[in-house]
Amino acid sequence: MWLAGRQRPDFRTLNRFRSQRMRNVLETVFTAVLQFLADEKYVSLEHYFVDGTKIEANANRYTFVWSKAVSKHKAKLRDKVQALFADIEAAEEQEEQENQGKDLDELSTGSEMDSEKLEQAVQKLEAQLAEKPKDKPLKKTVRTLRKDLLPRLQKYEQYQKLLGDRNS
């Protein structure tokens, strides 16, 4: 305050002063202090480590996971997947009469859906898509299942595993 005459310098002014005018002085002072600490045996200069670890922050208010929310989103996802499979079955019945009776039994409405069952169903659909590569609705459904719904279901299962019997 005395040096600045009670004026408030901007942070850029302080940074410019530190980086341009004090660079050599700060380096000399740092070296002298480090040498003093080594001479007095406060630090050992045998080993030194530089940590350049970069950690991605993930602590905003929208990343907190609640058990009720995970259950609700998982149920919505299950309904969405079953609606997609119902659309696929309707399209198959309409287009091809040869596939009657070959519905996706493992994803029936009464059973609990998990990522393994969904993965098997997606693989079956991909096999059907290999037979009929020009089927655009099937291609769109497979892409939606593979890129969006399956990863979300795996994420929800991981959250439920981490939650255990806790609420959050």
Side-chain angles (χ1 to χ4, degrees):
M1 289 174 62
W2 180 77
L3 286 175
R6 296 203 180 263
Q7 294 177 354
R8 295 182 184 151
D10 189 30
F11 71 93
R12 289 181 190 89
T13 306
L14 293 174
N15 192 35
R16 191 171 39 250
F17 178 76
R18 180 192 56 79
S19 64
Q20 293 175 0
R21 297 180 186 241
M22 295 296 290
R23 176 181 296 154
N24 296 332
V25 175
L26 287 176
E27 194 173 310
T28 306
V29 169
F30 178 75
T31 305
V33 168
L34 189 60
Q35 187 62 43
F36 172 76
L37 292 173
D39 291 343
E40 295 296 318
K41 307 234 187 292
Y42 287 113
V43 294
S44 167
L45 297 180
E46 293 174 10
H47 303 286
Y48 61 91
F49 302 92
V50 177
D51 187 11
T53 304
K54 295 180 183 178
I55 299 172
E56 180 180 346
N58 192 11
N60 70 27
R61 63 182 175 178
Y62 300 111
T63 59
F64 203 77
V65 178
W66 292 96
S67 176
K68 190 175 181 180
V70 170
S71 299
K72 180 180 76 171
H73 291 307
K74 189 176 178 182
K76 284 183 182 179
L77 184 70
R78 180 177 47 235
D79 294 342
K80 193 172 184 177
V81 167
Q82 289 178 357
L84 278 172
F85 281 116
D87 290 344
I88 290 171
E89 288 177 5
E92 282 182 357
E93 287 175 9
Q94 206 172 41
E95 291 176 4
E96 305 268 344
Q97 294 298 326
E98 66 192 39
N99 290 333
Q100 285 182 350
K102 293 183 182 178
D103 60 346
L104 300 172
D105 293 328
E106 65 273 5
L107 285 174
S108 64
T109 56
S111 69
E112 180 66 25
M113 177 182 52
D114 61 352
S115 58
E116 289 89 21
K117 289 180 183 178
L118 186 59
E119 177 68 34
Q120 291 171 1
V122 170
Q123 288 175 359
K124 282 185 181 180
L125 290 174
E126 287 173 342
Q128 289 179 3
L129 189 61
E131 295 171 5
K132 300 182 283 183
K134 295 189 187 252
D135 190 357
K136 287 187 180 183
L138 183 62
K139 190 182 290 188
K140 180 181 176 187
T141 303
V142 169
R143 184 174 42 242
T144 303
L145 287 168
R146 177 67 65 193
K147 300 285 184 190
D148 181 34
L149 301 179
L150 185 61
R152 281 177 36 203
L153 181 61
Q154 290 170 342
K155 180 177 74 170
Y156 294 150
E157 287 175 352
Q158 180 187 7
Y159 285 163
Q160 283 183 327
K161 191 182 298 181
L162 286 174
L163 286 169
D165 58 349
R166 296 172 296 164
N167 188 31
S168 65

